[in-house]
Amino acid sequence: MAEPRPKTRADSRRRQPIVVHLVLLLGAVVMVFPFLWQLSTAFKTYADATAVPIRWLPTQWEPGNFVQAFEVLPLGQMFLNSTILTVGRTIGQVVLCTMAGYAFARIAFPGRNVLFVAFLSVLMVPSQLFLLPQYEIIQSLGWVNTLQGVMAPGIFSAFGTFLMRQFFKSLPVELEEAARLDGANQWQIFARVMLPLARPGIVALTVFTVLWSWNELLWPLIITTDASRMPLSVGLTQLVGLHMTNYPLLMAGSLVATIPMIIVFIVLQRQFIEGIAFTGGKG
């Protein structure tokens, strides 16, 4: 009888990808499970959603939950509000954070490092501490319960500035020097040379801003009371009752709010990953 062949390093290397793929598969299942549960519950009856033991799939499919969600809430108007807020904030952050990030990365001015540290210190402060001063400013402007009142605090961020600053620092300095030798001024270098190269970083900032703005709850919940001015994130809270919550209705509305973000991420996934990879290139 032949003796078993001893394990070699080559055998271990062949098994390693299998283990890695199994771990990644398990992680993928954990990540996608909440969405699958949301999708299943959106088509359940209330009895199926609250049944014990848990019913993983609907015994009776109820697509009318989506129709009822639009009847109970002005989801169409809320969807439009979320779109306006997200587009406005994204444009604001891309414009302002891109220019600020370029200035911190490429323009030498007195106190640049001190000012940048001050910007970064904002990231260490809980955002809840800014709610009261933000509300007082918005109230003094007469923007309470308005879309511009919801939008204004989110058109600029320290994180976006840091992200773009890291990206611009990863670009070769020789490009700027060549443009300057050709007679380009600082604005022309930024707009015509550096900005086109910053597309992956801008896409990453866009995806971050879109996801954050679309899902933000606390500030819009404080500043809006009229359903016609609420974004989807706040409007869906109206479906949560004090004593009873219609989970199929809530999940149907949540699914309507989730699908656009999934589409955005799928469309911009490659550019988003490239942008995040580039921003870590230099410190």
Side-chain angles (χ1 to χ4, degrees):
M1 183 176 179
E3 295 183 359
R5 184 173 62 87
K7 296 181 180 179
T8 63
R9 184 174 299 180
D11 295 332
S12 300
R13 289 178 179 176
R14 278 194 292 267
R15 284 195 299 270
Q16 187 175 6
I18 298 176
V19 176
V20 171
H21 281 83
L22 287 176
V23 172
L24 292 176
L25 180 61
L26 178 61
V29 170
V30 172
M31 293 291 290
V32 80
F33 176 76
F35 176 73
L36 295 178
W37 180 254
Q38 178 189 38
L39 182 62
S40 173
T41 306
F43 288 96
K44 290 179 180 178
T45 61
Y46 182 78
D48 282 343
T50 56
V52 178
I54 295 175
R55 295 175 183 172
W56 299 103
L57 293 174
T59 57
Q60 178 183 344
W61 292 83
E62 189 60 61
N65 290 329
F66 294 90
V67 178
Q68 188 179 356
F70 277 90
E71 292 175 350
V72 173
L73 292 175
L75 287 184
Q77 182 62 46
M78 291 176 177
F79 191 94
L80 178 62
N81 293 342
S82 291
T83 302
I84 294 173
L85 293 173
T86 301
V87 171
R89 282 179 166 182
T90 302
I91 293 175
Q93 290 226 15
V94 167
V95 172
L96 298 177
C97 294
T98 299
M99 291 192 293
Y102 177 76
F104 281 122
R106 295 301 198 186
I107 302 177
F109 56 88
R112 180 181 66 173
N113 293 333
V114 175
L115 184 59
F116 184 67
V117 170
F119 265 81
L120 292 184
S121 66
V122 176
L123 297 176
M124 295 181 283
V125 180
S127 59
Q128 292 82 0
L129 296 181
F130 298 121
L131 293 177
L132 183 58
Q134 284 178 358
Y135 186 87
E136 291 181 347
I137 293 173
I138 297 301
Q139 187 180 41
S140 65
L141 294 172
W143 288 356
V144 175
N145 206 33
T146 62
L147 292 180
Q148 60 265 34
V150 181
M151 185 189 306
I155 61 173
F156 181 81
S157 72
F159 171 76
T161 301
F162 171 76
L163 184 71
M164 295 310 302
R165 182 236 185 207
Q166 294 302 104
F167 188 87
F168 281 119
K169 284 183 70 68
S170 69
L171 298 178
V173 181
E174 291 78 11
L175 296 173
E176 281 184 287
E177 294 175 349
R180 195 169 285 112
L181 289 175
D182 288 337
N185 57 36
Q186 194 70 63
W187 174 256
Q188 290 172 329
I189 294 173
F190 168 70
R192 299 182 181 180
V193 178
M194 306 303 286
L195 199 58
L197 296 175
R199 183 172 176 269
I202 293 174
V203 171
L205 176 61
T206 299
V207 173
F208 275 127
T209 306
V210 167
L211 293 176
W212 166 74
S213 182
W214 189 269
N215 297 318
E216 188 189 20
L217 175 62
L218 186 57
W219 174 248
L221 185 63
I222 292 173
I223 207 69
T224 58
T225 56
D226 185 358
S228 64
R229 301 295 182 186
M230 292 178 179
L232 275 171
S233 57
V234 177
L236 292 175
T237 63
Q238 309 303 306
L239 297 175
V240 180
L242 181 60
H243 301 291
M244 187 190 78
T245 300
N246 191 330
Y247 293 105
L249 199 64
L250 178 61
M251 290 301 175
S254 300
L255 192 61
V256 172
T258 302
I259 290 176
M261 294 301 98
I262 295 176
I263 295 174
V264 168
F265 183 77
I266 291 176
V267 171
L268 300 178
Q269 182 180 14
R270 184 175 63 83
Q271 293 90 338
F272 173 74
I273 295 174
E274 288 178 358
I276 296 299
F278 271 117
T279 54
K282 284 189 179 182

